Amino acid sequence: MSIRSTVLSRVGIPLLAALAGFGFAQALTPNPVNGELMRRLERQDARMEALARRLETQAASPPVAPGPRAMVGMDLTGLRGELRELLREELRTAMASVADGPVPEKAPTPPPPTSENVAAFEKVDRMVEDSLASGSWGRAQIQELRMFRGQMTDAQYMELVRKLLTAINSQQLRVEERGSPI
């Protein structure tokens, strides 16, 4: 017996038996997919017939004027023109009422900084500059800034905070405490 006939008998016969068994199983097993597919098609057919009947009855009834609808791609130039005119009228009315009424006063200007404000600002500004030179901002600096906060004007404080946060964000200054650096 040759090697070829041995391989064929060991591989070929089981392969042929497996294929025959598979084919036999396929032939005897009912295909549930086809039954389900047919039921779905029948339901779709019934829906289409119902829609066709509904369309026929609507076509026979008198047409009703459609309500206003927004249309996609609608030309908005006329609408824009009307809107501009309405805005002009409202502005004219508002300007006329302002001209008749009292002139609104400007927001009060903050008082000039006192010597106490200037001294506190200079001290904290020096501390920020020293921290920039050393590259670190720690607990002592945070506490000192908070202590002098009440002695500075809002504008002075915001200037220092802006300077400090800019240095922190550009990594010129490293914050050594957890939490807020201000």
Side-chain angles (χ1 to χ4, degrees), residues 1-160:
M1 193 180 229
S2 72
I3 295 177
R4 188 173 189 191
S5 65
T6 306
V7 170
L8 185 60
S9 66
R10 285 189 179 172
V11 174
I13 293 172
L15 184 62
L16 282 173
L19 286 173
F22 180 74
F24 186 67
Q26 286 293 322
L28 293 179
T29 306
N31 196 347
V33 175
N34 288 338
E36 177 65 25
L37 184 61
M38 290 306 292
R39 282 191 296 277
R40 285 185 179 182
L41 283 174
E42 289 170 1
R43 282 192 302 242
Q44 289 295 330
D45 189 37
R47 286 180 186 167
M48 288 178 65
E49 287 177 11
L51 286 173
R53 282 192 301 272
R54 189 182 309 162
L55 281 174
E56 288 172 2
T57 57
Q58 286 180 353
S61 66
V64 177
R69 278 191 222 172
M71 296 178 62
V72 176
M74 192 168 120
D75 183 26
L76 299 177
T77 55
L79 186 59
R80 286 184 183 127
E82 289 179 29
L83 188 56
R84 283 188 191 111
E85 187 58 36
L86 284 171
L87 285 172
R88 284 187 190 115
E89 289 175 15
E90 288 298 321
L91 281 172
R92 275 188 233 121
T93 306
M95 294 301 286
S97 67
V98 168
D100 295 340
V103 178
E105 294 183 25
K106 292 182 180 179
T109 57
T114 63
S115 58
E116 179 189 9
N117 299 136
V118 173
F121 175 77
E122 288 175 352
K123 184 167 183 153
V124 176
D125 187 47
R126 224 174 307 120
M127 178 185 63
V128 169
E129 289 296 329
D130 291 343
S131 294
L132 282 171
S134 70
S136 66
W137 182 259
R139 178 180 294 220
Q141 289 84 4
I142 294 170
Q143 287 176 345
E144 193 167 349
L145 174 66
R146 289 177 182 168
M147 183 178 74
F148 283 107
R149 166 64 184 113
Q151 298 173 10
M152 292 184 279
T153 64
D154 289 340
Q156 289 172 329
Y157 179 72
M158 290 309 294
E159 181 181 337
L160 288 171

